[in-house]
Amino acid sequence: MTTVEFRTLPKAHLDRALDLADIVFHETPEDEWRAAHREYLLRCDRIGAYDGDELVGMLGAYPLTLSVPGGELPCAGATFAAVAPTHRRRGILSGMLAELWRRCADHDRPLAALWASQAAIYGRFGCGPATHGCTVEIDTGRPLALRIAPADDLPLRLVAPEKAPGVVGPLHAAQRARRAGRVARDDYWWRTRVLPETDEDDDDLGPPRVVTIGAPPVGYAVYRTESGDDEPGAPGGVVHLVELEAETPGAAAALWQYLASIDLTSKVRAWGRPLDDPLLLLAADRDQVRVTQEFPALWLRLVDVAAALEARSWAAPCDLVLDLTDATLPANAGRRRLTAGPAGATLTPTDAAPDLALDVRELAACYLGGTELRHLVRAGLAAEHTPGAAAALDEALRTAYLPHTTDEF
Ligand SMILES: CC(=O)SCCNC(=O)CCNC(=O)[C@H](O)C(C)(C)COP(=O)(O)OP(=O)(O)OC[C@H]1O[C@@H](n2cnc3c(N)ncnc32)[C@H](O)[C@@H]1OP(=O)(O)O
């Protein structure tokens, strides 16, 4: 058996990479998306796995800036992980991720993140689900019943998608500062990831529509519509919400009312809403506004645990000894004393007895404030040696808003 080598996948091999992705992700080559994927991969750091001259695996890493509590950090956005069906389960993904961790260290990226195709794959590599999303469906065959009055003094305006980043970008940035787990968007990201003319996953959806409320805007929604059946009595169309952000409860209520009352539609389907979406409290009738799905969204890898912990803000003081395990990056493993508080944090090696024992996977799940360690202790996924230690870490990690993102990559 030949040895597989991991090296940079050059621009000249992009067509081979896209062919491999088509095979692995069961795609048929479509020119429009091939050009888009090429443009996207060109912006990525690219790792190829070569069996002789044959490209048998690839992994992209998009250079992201991820919001973390109190700030933001450079983060490798792992994407397009693909291994040829002839070379599965021979350690190629493992080898490409090991190479990615090395490159993160070289480029001072303490974090890596990804969206998993299957939840079972990435935990063994030290990744934990750090944000969660839910799908909310609103039955709009009847008027939406809300517990507060929507703002009725603020104008609603439709904005052309090409103008939207300039108009709603500052609102997104302000919300991103509150919600950890979000990537910084540039024009490329808005144009290709948020507002492409067609939806890559669903041909039935119309182009993106952007509605703002207020002048200057205090909220906005991005959505696409799917037309309904023409038959009398048949279900109406569906409004597919891409994102909705609002600075005030009244503006949020007005945007939800707007979406719920679009003519010729009878349902709003909102994918990837935060689990603490105020809509779930605003709704007067939870049979009308239902959570139909909940899922792990962004998986996070603390590639450099000390740098990651020392870069975020802390809600309460804690002084704890953590016994960390890390199967694929042993430099993170061992006993560390975490001293953290509103003034900052330090993580230093120690021989002291541990208060908590956990894997970096569990620490990654808790890092943005979206998972409580005490629940993981209760589930047997982490060990508490000092009573109250998990609760103390949870208080220190707590954030006012749950971490949340819908920016898939
Ligand atoms: C971030 C993203 O891009 S998500 C997209 C991921 N890509 C896909 O789903 C495309 C289709 N699948 C593939 O291309 C490949 O099967 C991959 C990339 C998922 C895995 O590649 P492989 O080279 O086979 O993985 P590798 O051999 O390194 O496996 C490492 C370990 O993960 C496990 N593993 C790999 N894939 C899976 C899976 N789908 N489900 C559960 N475990 C898995 C292996 O069993 C192995 O465990 P072991 O060490 O205990 O034996």
Side-chain angles (χ1 to χ4, degrees):
M1 193 172 77
T2 49
T3 312
V4 172
E5 271 185 43
F6 303 100
R7 51 180 192 261
T8 294
L9 192 155
K11 189 176 170 186
H13 291 184
L14 271 180
D15 276 323
R16 291 162 67 181
L18 292 167
D19 290 344
L20 177 62
D22 283 346
I23 293 170
V24 162
F25 293 108
H26 314 297
E27 302 285 350
T28 44
E30 289 172 51
D31 283 344
E32 179 196 0
W33 291 112
R34 196 168 173 100
H37 293 162
R38 170 183 276 277
E39 187 187 4
Y40 177 63
L41 281 174
L42 267 175
R43 290 165 182 261
C44 290
D45 185 15
R46 297 176 301 275
I47 297 165
Y50 292 86
D51 183 350
D53 284 339
E54 191 190 352
L55 181 70
V56 294
M58 65 179 288
L59 178 66
Y62 196 96
L64 302 170
T65 306
L66 197 76
S67 60
V68 301
E72 55 183 21
L73 278 178
C75 173
T79 183
F80 270 94
V83 173
T86 48
H87 285 67
R88 294 270 157 84
R89 310 300 179 263
R90 284 164 51 176
I92 293 180
L93 175 64
S94 312
M96 294 190 298
L97 286 172
E99 175 63 19
L100 178 60
W101 307 154
R102 272 192 291 278
R103 292 184 184 199
C104 283
D106 289 349
H107 294 106
D108 284 332
R109 294 199 175 104
L111 302 179
L114 56 88
W115 287 73
S117 56
Q118 296 168 75
I121 302 176
Y122 291 100
R124 76 189 67 231
F125 300 110
C127 305
T131 79
H132 290 78
C134 63
T135 300
V136 179
E137 291 193 0
I138 309 176
D139 171 6
T140 56
R142 56 195 161 111
L144 175 60
L146 295 177
R147 294 187 55 198
I148 65 164
D152 58 5
D153 55 340
L154 299 173
L156 290 159
R157 297 269 183 273
L158 283 167
V159 177
E162 59 276 14
K163 298 215 169 107
V167 177
V168 305
L171 272 179
H172 176 266
Q175 294 286 340
R176 176 176 172 263
R178 290 173 201 143
R179 295 247 188 222
R182 290 188 175 176
V183 307
R185 293 178 181 170
D186 58 12
D187 280 348
Y188 168 78
W189 197 275
W190 277 103
R191 175 172 56 81
T192 61
R193 316 297 299 179
V194 186
L195 298 163
E197 175 67 11
T198 49
D199 186 285
E200 185 172 357
D201 299 323
D202 192 343
D203 295 339
D204 293 334
L205 304 194
R209 310 288 180 198
V210 182
V211 62
T212 62
I213 183 164
V218 291
Y220 70 95
V222 180
Y223 64 97
R224 297 173 189 267
T225 53
E226 176 185 358
S227 57
D229 209 323
D230 286 340
E231 300 292 314
V238 180
V239 177
H240 293 261
L241 183 69
V242 177
E243 68 184 24
L244 182 152
E245 300 290 355
E247 293 285 319
T248 66
L255 287 167
W256 287 113
Q257 283 289 14
Y258 167 88
L259 297 165
S261 56
I262 292 176
D263 282 343
L264 310 180
T265 66
S266 58
K267 188 196 275 190
V268 173
R269 184 169 193 276
W271 173 85
R273 296 301 301 165
L275 302 188
D276 60 350
D277 192 335
L279 171 68
L280 302 175
L281 300 171
L282 273 179
D285 177 358
R286 286 297 307 273
D287 287 333
Q288 184 180 25
V289 177
R290 289 183 307 119
V291 173
T292 57
Q293 182 197 21
E294 190 183 316
F295 51 89
L298 190 80
W299 289 70
L300 199 63
R301 200 339 162 169
L302 308 184
V303 183
D304 182 336
V305 169
L309 293 182
E310 288 171 9
R312 60 153 285 171
S313 63
W314 296 79
C318 73
D319 187 354
L320 296 164
V321 175
L322 311 180
D323 193 2
L324 294 174
T325 50
D326 188 332
T328 53
L329 279 171
N332 287 320
R335 289 186 195 177
R336 301 282 187 278
R337 180 171 178 193
L338 171 67
T339 312
T346 55
L347 190 75
T348 45
T350 178
D351 293 327
D355 300 301
L356 292 161
L358 67 161
D359 191 75
V360 283
R361 166 187 183 159
E362 270 61 59
L363 191 59
C366 298
Y367 175 71
L368 299 178
T371 302
E372 297 204 344
L373 186 65
R374 69 191 100 184
H375 297 314
L376 300 180
V377 168
R378 234 176 270 152
L381 298 171
E384 184 179 61
H385 300 303
T386 305
L393 188 57
D394 286 338
E395 289 312 309
L397 289 166
R398 188 177 302 287
T399 51
Y401 292 74
L402 286 180
H404 169 256
T405 180
T406 51
D407 280 317
E408 284 187 274
F409 48 85

